[in-house]
Structure formats: structure tokens, C-alpha cells
Amino acid sequence: MEAKIGTFFESVGSFFTGGDHIPWSDGDIVVGCEREVAEAEKGSSDELKSECIMRLSWALVHSRRPEDVQRGIAMLEASLAGVSSPLQVREKLYLLGVGYYRSGDYSRSRQLAERCLEIAPDWRQALTLKKAIEDRITKDGVIGVGIAATAIGLLAGGIVAAVSRKK
């Protein structure tokens, strides 16, 4: 019984805090990846450059800084056109989905997660992203309904108070 109550309170806390299971990266990780890219551009193979850029893109879209997320989205969109491997397309679409999720564009993020799932239907990361998006949309909807109900209640209360004062 205590486990069920604990699970309930954890889910309620998660609802209000917006917790998801998508990792974050910090500024140190971004700086380290930028350093790797700069070093790779000094004569490394194209494959190594591509791997370093992918790691940087990952760090950027998982960052807490909105400008990093936007930069990661731009890098991924620019690099997506030159990709032929379905695995690389899936990875870049997923990272784009994370970037759009972090920036609040949930409909675009959901579209990208669904495209990932078309390529790999059982891919856990894309399934987790899709669930996080749906949870966030549900949460935002519930909060929106609560705000609307409160506004209507306040308006009705104001009308009742005004009518009762006139009598």
C-alpha cells in the first residue's frame, strides 16, 4: 500500500515539476564537444569530424540554455540533407525531436519522434521522447483548463457580487 501511495505522490510531483526522462547536458560538456570539433577540423578524417559534430549536436539539444538548443537544431537541420544511412537519419531526427521538445515546439517534436518510429518502431529513445511529449501536452492542457475554469469562476463570482450589491 505504501508503495502505491509513494508512486502516486511521485507521479503528482513529476506532473507539476515537468520531470521527464530525457537527459540534460551542461556547459562543460558543450565546451568539450566544441573543442573536439575544432581539433577534428585540423586534418582528421571526415568520419571523425562527423562523429564529433554529432556529439556536439547531442550536447547542444540536451542543453539547458535555449540558445544552445537552437544552435543544435540549426546544425542538425543543415546536416540532415547529406545523410543517406537510415541509422544516421533516425539519430538526427531523434536529436531534432529532442531540440524541438526542449524549445517547446511539441507538435514538431512529435512529428519527428513518429518519423523515428517509422524507421525503428521499437526504438526505446524515440518511444520515451514521444511519451514525454504526450505527457507535456496533457499537462499543458490540464493547466490551461484549470486557468480557464478559475477565470470563469472569478468572473461569475464578480457578477454575483455586483448583482448582490445592487439589491
Side-chain angles (χ1 to χ4, degrees):
M1 180 70 167
E2 282 185 33
K4 287 184 180 182
I5 292 172
T7 304
F8 171 75
F9 283 115
E10 185 177 305
S11 67
V12 169
S14 172
F15 177 81
F16 286 108
T17 60
D20 58 46
H21 299 289
I22 299 170
W24 293 97
S25 68
D26 60 15
D28 293 340
I29 294 172
V30 172
V31 168
C33 290
E34 287 172 334
R35 196 174 306 123
E36 280 183 8
V37 169
E39 290 172 11
E41 289 178 346
K42 295 179 184 173
S44 298
S45 69
D46 288 341
E47 185 177 335
L48 180 60
K49 288 179 194 175
S50 178
E51 287 175 17
C52 291
I53 290 171
M54 230 8 223
R55 280 194 293 275
L56 176 58
S57 298
W58 184 96
L60 289 170
V61 299
H62 286 87
S63 175
R64 294 184 187 274
R65 296 178 52 207
E67 57 273 11
D68 286 346
V69 174
Q70 292 303 317
R71 203 173 84 181
I73 289 171
M75 285 176 63
L76 287 160
E77 286 179 340
S79 69
L80 194 58
V83 178
S84 59
S85 162
L87 180 64
Q88 288 180 337
V89 169
R90 179 191 79 171
E91 293 285 332
K92 290 185 182 208
L93 289 175
Y94 169 75
L95 290 176
L96 271 171
V98 170
Y100 282 113
Y101 174 78
R102 292 286 191 223
S103 65
D105 189 346
Y106 304 124
S107 62
R108 180 79 174 120
S109 182
R110 184 189 309 172
Q111 291 171 348
L112 292 164
E114 287 172 355
R115 283 183 58 195
C116 289
L117 292 169
E118 288 171 9
I119 296 169
D122 295 330
W123 193 30
R124 188 178 307 204
Q125 285 177 290
L127 290 168
T128 300
L129 175 60
K130 187 175 178 187
K131 181 170 181 355
I133 295 163
E134 290 168 355
D135 290 350
R136 180 59 65 110
I137 290 170
T138 300
K139 175 186 164 194
D140 288 354
V142 168
I143 291 171
V145 167
I147 290 170
T150 302
I152 290 170
L154 288 172
L155 182 63
I159 292 171
V160 167
V163 168
S164 68
R165 282 188 182 169
K166 286 186 178 183
K167 290 183 179 179

